[in-house]
Amino acid sequence: MKGTVLYGPRDVRFEERDTPRIIKPSDAIIRNSATCVCGSDLWPYRGINPVTQPTPMGHEYCGIVEEVGSAVTTIKPGQFVIGSFFASDNTCPNCQAGYQSSCQHAEFVGTAQAPLLRVPLADGTLVATPDVPSEDLIPSLLTLSDVMGTGWFAADAANVKPGMTVAVVGDGAVGLLGVLSAKQMDAGRIIAMSRHESRQKLAREFGATDVVTERGDDGVSRIKELTNGIGADSVLECVGTPESMMQAIGSARKGGYVSYVGVPHGVELDGEKLFFAHVRLHGGPAPVRRYLPKLIELVWNRKINPGKVFDLTLPLDKVAEGYRAMDERRAIKTLLRP
């Protein structure tokens, strides 16, 4: 089969790769109905995360099970399934605590920009939908594999509760779906931080009540101004840069909550500043598997439509253009159809 391979900065190729096969008895092979490009894929694409050898790409997926290993008992061929970017057994102590992305036997699922995908630990990783979905639901179901699950974790980790004031730092797909998640959790006020008109529009559609265009210290000052000098109850950091992290911490009220779900690059915290900020920090790689049953139910019953973050759809063999469009911020998120 052909799949996506990154050779180096801005060098994405769609080329022959080995067809996945069952390696361990706990594996499953799925035929992807859709996959996509993630904002975190842009770090190696831009050369910020060095690529030392040709690397298959993609960690978001949903599709039909084609084959399962002999030890797989709950996942069956013919089912439509969604899984996390980290395979997990869903039984170890970390999984039982709700942190499947830190499973003691976790394996990164990183070859999904292809027609077929091997998923390890299938019983613990994959969740089946009630039936094979209609075509229009597939984009939203695909978001559950990462960005919607990550946005939900951002809101959950920041302790979003009904009536709270929530600020979201970052207007990529995760930030926008953090807005949607906060809305689902009945936040009273949701402040989206964005400079891009199309993203501001979608943020408002997802539930943002205010938009702040300023960044850094100016962004913090604007949040404080909007909250009578207090700051937000909950702040969702969805970027991963030093600037976004400090902006998030500075925007929170004393005793407030800051979640961080953007993959950090160069983030170093000043212990003294953190000490006097008086905020609670929680984050990391989203335990998407924890939320999959609930999020599938919300999408299946058409209560949420997170698939709106896909503003560019391409055939999988045009994947290089999908990367370019996101790199140049011409697209929020690229959906790829095998």
Side-chain angles (χ1 to χ4, degrees):
M1 71 168 189
K2 286 191 171 183
T4 305
V5 180
L6 181 67
Y7 275 75
R10 294 179 169 79
D11 185 2
V12 171
R13 306 180 197 178
F14 189 68
E15 63 181 25
E16 284 296 331
R17 277 178 29 202
D18 290 340
T19 300
R21 58 185 178 83
I22 300 290
I23 297 173
K24 297 178 182 176
S26 55
D27 290 347
I29 304 296
I30 71 169
R31 181 167 293 278
N32 282 324
S33 298
T35 181
C36 54
V37 182
C38 183
S40 62
D41 292 333
L42 297 180
W43 295 107
Y45 178 76
R46 290 167 173 161
I48 297 168
N49 286 2
V51 173
T52 56
Q53 61 187 29
T55 303
M57 295 294 288
H59 57 263
E60 296 162 279
Y61 57 95
C62 63
I64 304 287
V65 179
E66 290 224 325
E67 185 184 359
V68 297
S70 59
V72 177
T73 59
T74 61
I75 297 300
K76 297 176 172 54
Q79 287 181 316
F80 187 96
V81 293
I82 305 158
S84 167
F85 47 90
F86 271 113
S88 58
D89 59 25
N90 209 31
T91 59
C92 83
N94 292 344
C95 288
Q96 290 296 295
Y99 289 85
Q100 292 91 338
S101 48
S102 284
C103 174
Q104 290 179 318
H105 305 104
E107 291 185 48
F108 185 64
V109 181
T111 62
Q113 288 167 8
L116 292 165
L117 175 67
R118 181 182 76 91
V119 180
L121 302 170
D123 278 335
T125 304
L126 298 172
V127 179
T129 55
D131 204 341
V132 175
S134 57
E135 195 67 23
D136 65 314
L137 280 182
I138 288 175
S140 284
L141 291 170
L142 176 61
T143 67
L144 308 187
S145 186
D146 183 355
V147 285
M148 182 64 208
T150 298
W152 195 272
F153 176 57
D156 191 20
N159 197 44
V160 174
K161 302 290 184 196
M164 278 187 170
T165 295
V166 178
V168 180
V169 180
D171 63 358
V174 170
L176 291 167
L177 294 175
V179 169
L180 178 61
S181 300
K183 176 67 173 176
Q184 283 293 306
M185 296 177 189
D186 294 322
R189 188 178 194 184
I190 303 170
I191 305 166
M193 308 190 91
S194 172
R195 289 179 168 179
H196 299 85
E197 191 174 338
S198 62
R199 298 172 188 234
Q200 292 172 3
K201 183 181 176 186
L202 189 53
R204 289 193 182 278
E205 199 175 324
F206 281 159
T209 54
D210 303 83
V211 171
V212 167
T213 58
E214 294 87 351
R215 288 185 182 172
D217 291 342
D218 291 339
V220 171
S221 296
R222 183 70 181 127
I223 294 283
K224 291 289 178 71
E225 188 182 318
L226 289 170
T227 56
N228 299 317
I230 296 167
D233 300 303
S234 298
V235 185
L236 285 53
E237 192 284 307
C238 303
V239 184
T241 64
E243 296 78 14
S244 61
M245 191 68 169
M246 293 318 298
Q247 183 172 313
I249 291 170
S251 298
R253 66 166 171 80
K254 302 303 180 188
Y257 294 79
V258 175
S259 63
Y260 50 98
V261 298
V263 180
H265 285 77
V267 176
E268 294 183 2
L269 298 180
D270 181 318
E272 187 176 348
K273 283 184 180 177
L274 188 59
F275 185 76
F276 287 104
H278 237 152
V279 299
R280 310 167 209 229
L281 293 175
H282 184 40
V288 167
R289 176 62 183 82
R290 188 204 309 180
Y291 305 115
L292 275 175
K294 178 177 180 63
L295 295 178
I296 287 171
E297 183 183 348
L298 287 172
V299 168
W300 199 261
N301 295 324
R302 300 180 187 271
K303 299 285 178 63
I304 59 172
N305 187 7
K308 287 182 179 179
V309 295
F310 293 112
D311 53 352
L312 177 63
T313 299
L314 295 170
L316 187 52
D317 61 0
K318 304 294 184 191
V319 61
E321 167 56 20
Y323 275 81
R324 276 193 298 271
M326 287 177 62
D327 179 41
E328 296 165 8
R329 294 184 77 83
R330 291 184 282 115
I332 299 171
K333 192 166 178 67
T334 303
L335 179 74
L336 301 167
R337 291 284 194 172

